[in-house]
Amino acid sequence: APDLTAPAYLTAALKAVKDDLARVPGNGVPYGALRYLTGATFDAPAPQVLFNYLGRFDAGASGDWQLAGTTGQLGEKRDPRMRLPRALEFNAIAEPAANGAYELVTTVSWPEGLFTDDDITTIGDYFRVALAGLAALDEGGHSPSDFPLVPLTQADVDALDGPALRDILPLTPLQEGLYFHSVFDDDSAGAYVEQQLLTLDGEVDEARLAAAATRLLTLYPNLAARFVALADGRVVSVLDGGAEAPFTTLDRPGITDDELRDLAERDRRAGFDLATGPLMRYTLVRAGAGRNVLVQTVHHIIADGWSVPPMLRSLLAEYHAPGTVYPRGGFPDYVSWLAGRDDDESDRVWRGELAELPGADGVEP
């Protein structure tokens, strides 16, 4: 039999219960509405155990009224002669303790004759041991309900999970095509890698510029994405926090324009490992005489031509005034909007728009 107090068991149980609750529509409100207000009948038996958390109550908080302290009077109260609607009830409330912390006070109720006092003592001991084990967990980790845009199993999440994980997103249609060509086309190395070369005159603080480049990954979280294949072959975009933008400085006084272009082209042709982010890097070339060239290399799967101007504006703004550009989370919002679109309706509209074409057209993304 499994050890019900083992951290691994408690972590798995915590995630399973969390995801079960996430699947309940309306946080369970429709159940009571349907059962008791509409006269609807249910084939399933009525629940036999109730877990009811009544919330946390502060004493000493500001407001028009406040609790004098632990009163013992909060929670569900009923006449002992009243019929219980279920076999076992746990009503819990968090109240302030004398040391300023909170303690969880749980009242267990049961119909007389259904359980013995020893039965309830045993159940209460199990309850306390389980709560103590859950409270001792360092961190529970993520579960599929944390990433609603992608159908995932717990095994999928566990394979990607870690302290840095922030989000798991589906690929956009364009990203799916770029991923396919980048991974499965042997001749496409560098074909979907873009570059921008910026000439910077005067003294350049490379540490400050590197910090500004890393700051971009916070401002635009999708720039830190890596693209990972799940066990069933589907590919997801994994967004991690705390990533640093790769930054290299080369001292090449007297480098010619042709040599600079050749250096940049070799970097572009090197490509990226899509499963290991970030899919962008920087090279600062110190050409001498106060001339510096910054080479920004980025894979097209995380940024397109429209993305480059705001990226570069943010980079230079962060260099000149660190911390003045505010984070933006637009890309996950866009993916969420895209997931809500009706694909069949989109296909119908585009078939109508393209119906007059005489044949194949050279339309490219």
Side-chain angles (χ1 to χ4, degrees), residues 3-165:
D3 181 0
L4 303 186
T5 63
Y9 179 88
L10 290 174
T11 298
L14 182 64
K15 293 176 181 178
V17 171
K18 168 187 161 188
D19 276 22
D20 284 344
L21 291 175
R23 285 191 288 269
V24 176
N27 202 28
V29 172
Y31 174 84
L34 288 173
R35 189 177 188 92
Y36 299 110
L37 300 182
T38 67
T41 59
F42 290 80
D43 295 332
Q48 296 298 298
V49 181
L50 169 71
F51 290 92
N52 188 19
Y53 176 59
L54 300 172
R56 186 177 72 177
F57 291 82
D58 287 323
S62 61
D64 294 334
W65 65 275
Q66 56 184 293
L67 299 178
T70 302
T71 64
Q73 299 303 308
L74 295 173
E76 184 175 358
K77 303 295 180 183
R78 60 161 58 91
D79 191 297
R81 296 168 297 179
M82 183 177 178
R83 177 181 176 272
L84 282 176
R86 55 194 63 85
L88 194 60
E89 291 188 0
F90 293 79
N91 286 287
I93 184 172
E95 292 187 341
N99 61 1
Y102 284 89
E103 59 182 14
L104 187 69
V105 180
T106 304
T107 301
V108 183
S109 305
W110 68 97
E112 185 177 4
L114 190 59
F115 298 100
T116 67
D117 289 347
D118 288 342
D119 292 334
I120 298 301
T121 298
T122 300
I123 292 173
D125 289 341
Y126 285 147
F127 186 66
R128 281 193 296 270
V129 170
L131 283 179
L134 290 169
L137 293 176
D138 289 334
E139 53 186 53
H142 293 92
S143 65
S145 63
D146 292 317
F147 313 107
L149 296 180
V150 189
L152 297 169
T153 65
Q154 186 60 57
D156 293 330
V157 176
D158 290 342
L160 301 171
D161 208 356
L165 181 62

Side-chain angles (χ1 to χ4, degrees), residues 185-246:
D185 186 349
D186 293 335
D187 296 327
S188 69
Y192 294 105
V193 178
E194 302 177 345
Q195 263 186 346
Q196 295 79 40
L197 278 66
L198 283 74
T199 298
L200 308 174
D201 295 326
E203 292 297 323
V204 175
D205 184 334
E206 62 183 82
R208 189 169 177 174
L209 188 56
T214 291
R215 172 71 171 160
L216 283 183
L217 305 184
T218 300
L219 296 170
Y220 306 98
N222 52 297
L223 295 180
R226 53 192 177 94
F227 297 83
V228 181
L230 302 176
D232 62 4
R234 290 178 298 135
V235 179
V236 293
S237 172
V238 181
L239 274 58
D240 292 325
E244 293 186 4

Side-chain angles (χ1 to χ4, degrees), residues 296-362:
Q296 175 179 270
T297 305
V298 56
H299 199 285
H300 192 28
I301 201 169
I302 63 168
D304 58 11
W306 290 96
S307 308
V308 170
M311 287 170 59
L312 294 179
R313 284 196 298 268
S314 297
L315 174 69
L316 296 178
E318 279 295 312
Y319 175 77
H320 289 292
T324 58
V325 182
Y326 295 98
R328 302 182 183 184
F331 187 77
D333 296 336
Y334 166 70
V335 175
S336 179
W337 171 84
L338 196 63
R341 306 291 290 175
D342 187 331
D343 291 339
D344 292 337
E345 177 65 12
S346 295
D347 289 343
R348 186 192 66 78
V349 170
W350 279 108
R351 277 196 299 269
E353 292 293 328
L354 302 176
E356 301 301 321
L357 289 177
D361 190 88

